[in-house]
């Protein structure tokens, strides 16, 4: 171990303790990030499904409007 660190009163045990503490915190943050990414991925899938449904409904409504316009412009007797 670096002699300068030892001279400042920092022990190897303290360094290992701090390293383990940091590692635990990083693992916790990693788990939270993985959960967040999973949640956002699911929301993205849900949003895509909603958008697809809205496009389908819009297409059908446009088709109905087109049909109504054609009927209203039909022959009058």
């Amino acid at each position: 171990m670096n002699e300068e660190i030892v001279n400042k009163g920092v022990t190897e045990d303290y360094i290992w303790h701090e390293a383990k503490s940091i590692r635990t915190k990083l693992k916790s943050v990693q788990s939270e990030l993985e959960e967040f990414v999973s949640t956002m991925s699911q929301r993205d899938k849900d949003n895509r499904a909603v958008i697809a449904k809205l496009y389908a409904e819009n297409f059908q409504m446009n088709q109905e409007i087109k049909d109504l316009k054609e009927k209203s412009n039909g022959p009058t007797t």
Side-chain angles (χ1 to χ4, degrees):
M1 179 153 71
N2 188 330
E3 199 173 307
E4 181 181 323
I5 293 172
V6 173
N7 289 338
K8 291 183 178 179
V10 178
T11 65
E12 191 171 343
D13 287 341
Y14 174 78
I15 292 170
W16 276 112
H17 170 75
E18 286 300 306
K20 287 179 184 178
S21 176
I22 291 169
R23 182 177 178 208
T24 301
K25 289 175 187 173
L26 287 173
K27 282 185 174 184
S28 175
V29 169
Q30 181 182 10
S31 293
E32 289 177 23
L33 181 58
E34 287 172 355
E35 183 179 331
F36 174 78
V37 168
S38 175
T39 300
M40 290 297 108
S41 176
Q42 185 59 47
R43 285 185 185 174
D44 183 52
K45 288 177 187 176
D46 294 346
N47 289 341
R48 288 175 187 259
V50 168
I51 289 169
K53 182 179 177 185
L54 290 172
Y55 270 112
E57 289 176 4
N58 185 51
F59 177 80
Q60 184 167 352
M61 289 175 72
N62 284 335
Q63 194 64 37
E64 290 173 7
I65 290 169
K66 181 180 172 187
D67 293 344
L68 289 172
K69 283 182 180 178
E70 288 175 0
K71 284 181 183 179
S72 69
N73 291 335
T76 56
T77 50

